[in-house]
Amino acid sequence: MKAVRNLFILLLIFLSPALLHAEETATVDIPEIVLEHISDAYEWHVYTYKGKPVSIPLPIIVRSGGTGKWFAGTAEHLPAQFFFNEERHGKIYETLPDGSIVRPLDLSITKSVAQIWIVVIILVVLFLSLAGWYKKRNERSEAPKGFVGCMEMLVMMVNDDIVKSSIGEKHYKPYAPYLLTVFFFILTTNMLGLLPIFPGGANVTGNINVTFLLALFSMMAINLFGNKEYWKDIFWPHVPLALKCPVPLLPVIELVGVFTKPFALMIRLFANMMAGHAVILSFTCVIFLGWTISVGFGIGLNIFGVIMLLFANCLEFLVAFVQAYVFTLLSAVFIGLAHKEEE
């Protein structure tokens, strides 16, 4: 019960801007609130106090398309020719002297980038501390317990049940570090994304750019190191001659599959995580929506919203693990297919 109470308090803190907005305007714009929280930003919104947002400014680094000069600073000191285009998801655009509007080279540290750095720091500190713990033990020491034992279980599960079984005993070792990194990166990012307060709350794996890069890495691991049997099955598969000559029907289909496999990895992770965040935020907004109508609606929707919100959060914890597992598993399976034994 204490855990449920703490979770509810955190959720109230997270959606307090929506409550304040509802009190001031007598309405709750659910689409606006949801899109604001799942989109990237040039600042990290923490809280709203008396109608004023309390945010952590993030570094903005842009290169002017007109003068070629660089600007580095915060949003408050952004030069006049730059502006945030709300029609383009709040991205920075530039007005050139001739009146045209262009997108400058943008290397800013956005909320998603800052969240990735936080995840990297957490993982580095975590695994260096675990490595230090194992250095002080030997084969005669007791089996690890508690958190160390839990981490060992996860590492062995990914290494033995996913990587080794999918790729094979002969070829799995070079790919194990990458796949373990992918698993723990996605899992940690998903878990932090469920935290309603700083340093969590960013929708990193619900960002198509992040999932695209992860899928690109898997595509490189699959195709750059595939053996000759893998490429032979793509360009000259073991099918009747009529299906590959003179019209290369099967080779074209197999070649398209080289790109559709990582594309499926990208879309699956992106869509599931973004949808999960949107559902949780929508149910949270329902808690405040009823009070803008009447007290009766407020009480009724509060009960409904809290029950569905707790259910959605528990489900999203499961989804956070499942999506990390599935992305790693499918990457390992595709890599294993690129190391087929010679027939």
Side-chain angles (χ1 to χ4, degrees):
M1 292 300 295
K2 185 177 180 181
V4 174
R5 183 193 65 188
N6 292 338
L7 176 61
F8 183 69
I9 292 173
L10 288 175
L11 291 171
L12 288 179
I13 293 173
F14 182 46
L15 262 293
S16 58
L19 180 58
L20 293 172
H21 183 73
E23 292 176 348
E24 294 172 358
T25 63
T27 185
V28 177
D29 191 343
I30 295 180
E32 180 182 352
I33 294 172
V34 172
L35 290 175
E36 177 185 353
H37 282 83
I38 66 176
S39 60
D40 204 359
Y42 292 94
E43 60 181 10
W44 200 308
H45 182 267
V46 179
Y47 195 68
T48 299
Y49 181 71
K50 294 184 178 179
K52 296 182 178 180
V54 178
S55 304
I56 300 174
L58 298 173
I60 293 178
I61 306 171
V62 291
R63 181 180 181 273
S64 172
T67 64
K69 295 182 179 179
W70 287 90
F71 166 79
T74 59
E76 296 180 356
H77 305 94
L78 197 65
Q81 73 265 25
F82 298 104
F83 65 96
F84 297 98
N85 192 337
E86 298 301 330
E87 296 180 357
R88 300 282 183 171
H89 309 289
K91 297 297 183 182
I92 294 178
Y93 278 75
E94 179 185 9
T95 303
L96 298 180
D98 59 1
S100 60
I101 297 176
V102 298
R103 180 89 162 92
L105 179 61
D106 191 352
L107 302 179
S108 303
I109 309 301
T110 61
K111 184 178 179 181
S112 293
V113 175
Q115 182 76 92
I116 291 173
W117 286 5
I118 292 173
V119 171
V120 170
I121 293 172
I122 290 174
L123 291 178
V124 169
V125 172
L126 174 64
F127 283 100
L128 286 180
S129 62
L130 290 175
W133 187 92
Y134 277 100
K135 283 183 179 180
K136 299 176 183 178
R137 269 72 179 177
N138 53 42
E139 63 276 4
R140 297 182 180 180
S141 302
E142 293 184 359
K145 300 177 182 179
F147 180 74
V148 178
C150 179
M151 291 301 298
E152 181 178 303
M153 178 193 68
L154 285 175
V155 171
M156 296 303 293
M157 178 200 71
V158 175
N159 185 73
D160 296 343
D161 298 341
I162 298 178
V163 181
K164 186 186 294 186
S165 62
S166 299
I167 300 178
E169 186 76 29
K170 294 182 180 179
H171 308 289
Y172 83 95
K173 288 185 178 180
Y175 301 99
Y178 164 69
L179 293 172
L180 282 165
T181 302
V182 166
F183 174 81
F184 283 102
F185 173 79
I186 296 176
L187 179 62
T188 306
T189 303
N190 291 349
M191 292 299 184
L192 272 182
L194 294 177
L195 289 179
I197 58 175
F198 181 84
N203 185 33
V204 175
T205 46
N207 187 322
I208 192 69
N209 297 309
V210 176
T211 58
F212 167 78
L213 195 59
L214 291 172
L216 179 62
F217 289 154
S218 292
M219 181 180 177
M220 293 171 62
I222 295 166
N223 296 287
L224 291 181
F225 308 104
N227 60 19
K228 63 179 182 180
E229 283 296 317
Y230 169 70
W231 292 107
K232 181 181 178 182
D233 280 347
I234 291 177
F235 293 107
W236 198 256
H238 297 280
V239 295
L241 186 62
L243 295 176
K244 54 188 177 183
C245 183
V247 179
L249 179 61
L250 257 297
V252 169
I253 294 175
E254 291 292 338
L255 187 60
V256 171
V258 171
F259 301 96
T260 56
K261 290 174 183 176
F263 181 78
L265 290 176
M266 174 185 70
I267 295 299
R268 179 182 287 105
L269 180 59
F270 159 72
N272 279 283
M273 298 314 300
M274 187 185 69
H277 281 272
V279 168
I280 289 176
L281 288 165
S282 300
F283 279 128
T284 310
C285 290
V286 168
I287 296 175
F288 305 113
L289 181 63
W291 295 101
T292 65
I293 303 174
S294 66
V295 175
F297 273 102
I299 295 174
L301 289 179
N302 260 24
I303 297 172
F304 171 77
V306 169
I307 293 174
M308 294 304 298
L309 184 57
L310 291 176
F311 171 76
N313 271 276
C314 293
L315 183 62
E316 194 65 13
F317 271 109
L318 177 62
V319 171
F321 175 82
V322 169
Q323 289 306 312
Y325 183 92
V326 169
F327 190 97
T328 308
L329 175 63
L330 291 180
S331 296
V333 169
F334 296 152
I335 292 173
L337 291 176
H339 291 276
K340 295 179 63 177
E341 296 295 334
E342 186 173 352
E343 298 180 4

